[in-house]
Structures are given as structure tokens and as C-alpha cells.
Amino acid sequence: RQAVAILRQLHEITGRYSLVFAGANPERPMSENTINKALRLAGYEGRQTGHGFRHLLSTELNGRGYNKDWIERQLAHGDSDEIRGTYNHAAYVEQRREMMQAWADSIDAVCAGANVVAIKRKA
């Protein structure tokens, strides 16, 4: 639900383009470097990258006990059976939808102050 709401808001800004996250050339996608630069400017240099969010998600969902096949599919990792992987883009779609909704709900809960644990940085 949260992702759909965000995409609807973005549509007001980017709706005239074919891509939601267009680059400087609106016919091409935004570069991963754009995300990494934003993270650097926000003070996360050396601690987080755009691609690192995929590692974070995988680690957290595996830690919560979700089926590893659902997680791999959600991360768009291929099927070891290349033919099956080519034709089955909807693998585990209902389970993945529920898993990602639970993830979004947990992010909302943290943002609202639930289960927040302070992490002390090393000096």
C-alpha cells in the first residue's frame, strides 16, 4: 500500500515521462550513481550504497524467516532453471506481496517510534 501511494505521488511529478525515476535524459533511467551521491550528501559515505539496500532487505527478510525463494525472486534474482525463470515472472507473487507489505508496515512502525533501538557508533 505504501509503495503504491508513493508511486501515485511521484506520478504527479513524473507522469509525463515513461520512467518514474528518469535520469537527466528522461528516456533513460536514473543512474545508481545518483542514489549513491544522495547517500554521500546525506552523510552515509562509506556506510551505505544504493545497492546495499538490497543486502539489507535480504538479510532482514531472511532473519525474519521468510522463504528464501520468495526473497530471491523479490530481488529479481534469476531461477537456476533459465527456461522456467524466463517465463515465470509471477513466481510467488502473492507471498511476495504479503512479505513486502509486512516489511513496509515494519518501516512505518519504526518511523512512528515503535521498537527503536539506539545504535552507538564507535568513536
Side-chain angles (χ1 to χ4, degrees):
R1 293 185 316 270
Q2 294 89 329
V4 170
I6 290 168
L7 289 170
R8 286 191 174 133
Q9 290 174 339
L10 283 171
H11 186 262
E12 294 175 17
I13 300 167
T14 64
R16 66 179 185 261
Y17 302 115
S18 59
L19 299 171
V20 174
F21 299 106
N25 173 348
E27 297 303 316
R28 297 187 51 133
M30 178 190 304
S31 164
E32 182 179 346
N33 292 327
T34 303
I35 301 297
N36 289 334
K37 182 178 180 181
L39 288 166
R40 277 195 309 279
L41 293 173
Y44 290 94
E45 185 168 14
R47 296 188 295 145
Q48 184 65 42
T49 64
H51 193 78
F53 285 110
R54 295 169 61 84
H55 295 277
L56 183 146
L57 179 70
S58 176
T59 300
E60 184 62 25
L61 293 177
N62 276 291
R64 293 180 185 197
Y66 283 102
N67 182 305
K68 65 181 174 107
D69 293 331
W70 304 353
I71 297 166
E72 291 302 305
R73 214 20 121 167
Q74 188 62 32
L75 293 170
H77 292 167
D79 193 307
S80 59
D81 180 333
E82 289 184 28
I83 301 298
R84 183 175 65 193
T86 299
Y87 292 103
N88 191 6
H89 295 288
Y92 311 114
V93 72
E94 287 303 319
Q95 296 94 330
R96 290 168 38 215
R97 184 177 290 125
E98 290 175 22
M99 176 180 72
M100 294 311 295
Q101 185 60 58
W103 172 254
D105 291 343
S106 69
I107 297 297
D108 278 353
V110 168
C111 291
N115 302 317
V116 176
V117 177
I119 300 174
K120 295 181 181 178
R121 293 179 70 181
K122 293 182 180 179

